[in-house]
Amino acid sequence: MSKLVKLCMVLFVVTSFVSCSTDDDGGSDTSASLVGTWSVTSLDYEGTTSFDFLGETINTSFEGVGQNLDLDFTFTENPNEYTAEGSYDIVLDFTVNGMSETETTSVDNLQQVGTWERNGNILSIDGEIIDIDLDIPVGDTTGMSELTILELTETTLRLGQDVTEEVTEEGITVSITINSEIVFSRQ
């Protein structure tokens, strides 16, 4: 079961971010500046996977919730860079072919650096934001990840991402759907 959890987590890392649904609420303000230091106040995601191997299919659903959040992001301009520092826990509830389990993963001493670009309500970032040590190779994880700015005011930043991917490695085809949201408050 732990390899399955790790595969879910690696696919989560492939998407570069975390959390719930990115449904557009239509009226959210996104006009404030991204530059500054932001503390993560909420980190949630949910999704499904389907593993096809030698004609057998394994379906999973999962929901991850951030706890013990002590994670800060700082965005600077000229150059457009970000740093992420801190720690957090992810409580992952998942169901595999009808069997449910809960696992907690702790990330301590996270220190990441990358670049960012903003085009309207799309925030493109590079680098690894979530640092989880996994031993399962999955696809190409390089390049920019696009997140939707759902809300950006002087005090609140809310980012979301909906991802649907299919990856085939070593005869295993994995289809994944993740809906994620991360909420920050300005320090």
Side-chain angles (χ1 to χ4, degrees):
M1 209 47 108
S2 68
K3 280 216 178 255
L4 183 60
V5 171
K6 286 183 177 184
L7 186 53
C8 288
M9 293 303 290
V10 80
L11 290 170
F12 171 68
V13 170
V14 168
T15 67
S16 296
F17 242 73
V18 272
S19 205
C20 250
S21 174
T22 60
D23 294 341
D24 185 12
D25 52 13
S28 292
D29 184 10
T30 61
S31 62
S33 173
L34 184 64
V35 175
T37 300
W38 300 86
S39 294
V40 175
T41 59
S42 174
L43 180 85
D44 304 292
Y45 62 96
E46 62 186 15
T48 60
T49 59
S50 175
F51 300 85
D52 292 320
F53 179 68
L54 297 175
E56 192 164 328
T57 300
I58 300 172
N59 294 307
T60 66
S61 61
F62 55 90
E63 183 175 315
V65 177
Q67 293 185 347
N68 303 317
L69 300 169
D70 183 19
L71 183 58
D72 294 327
F73 283 73
T74 300
F75 293 90
T76 61
E77 277 184 315
N78 299 322
N80 288 5
E81 295 179 333
Y82 74 88
T83 58
E85 298 179 312
S87 62
Y88 60 94
D89 297 330
I90 292 288
V91 178
L92 180 65
D93 293 317
F94 58 96
T95 302
V96 180
N97 285 346
M99 294 178 47
S100 296
E101 195 169 324
T102 298
E103 185 172 293
T104 300
T105 301
S106 296
V107 177
D108 297 314
N109 301 316
L110 174 73
Q111 295 185 342
Q112 300 294 332
V113 176
T115 61
W116 65 273
E117 299 173 16
R118 181 177 179 187
N119 185 5
N121 289 343
I122 301 299
L123 175 63
S124 299
I125 58 170
D126 73 351
E128 289 183 1
I129 293 174
I130 304 303
D131 184 20
I132 299 173
D133 186 20
L134 300 168
D135 58 0
I136 301 172
V138 177
D140 182 12
T141 60
T142 61
M144 300 293 275
S145 295
E146 291 187 350
L147 302 142
T148 301
I149 300 172
L150 302 171
E151 181 179 5
L152 176 56
T153 66
E154 289 303 317
T155 59
T156 302
L157 170 59
R158 202 165 51 97
L159 299 174
Q161 186 177 48
D162 294 337
V163 174
T164 300
E165 289 191 28
E166 185 172 288
V167 177
T168 300
E169 286 284 329
E170 299 178 14
I172 300 173
T173 299
V174 179
S175 301
I176 186 163
T177 300
I178 300 176
N179 301 309
S180 61
E181 184 176 294
I182 186 167
V183 180
F184 304 80
S185 66
R186 192 182 298 268
Q187 287 189 350

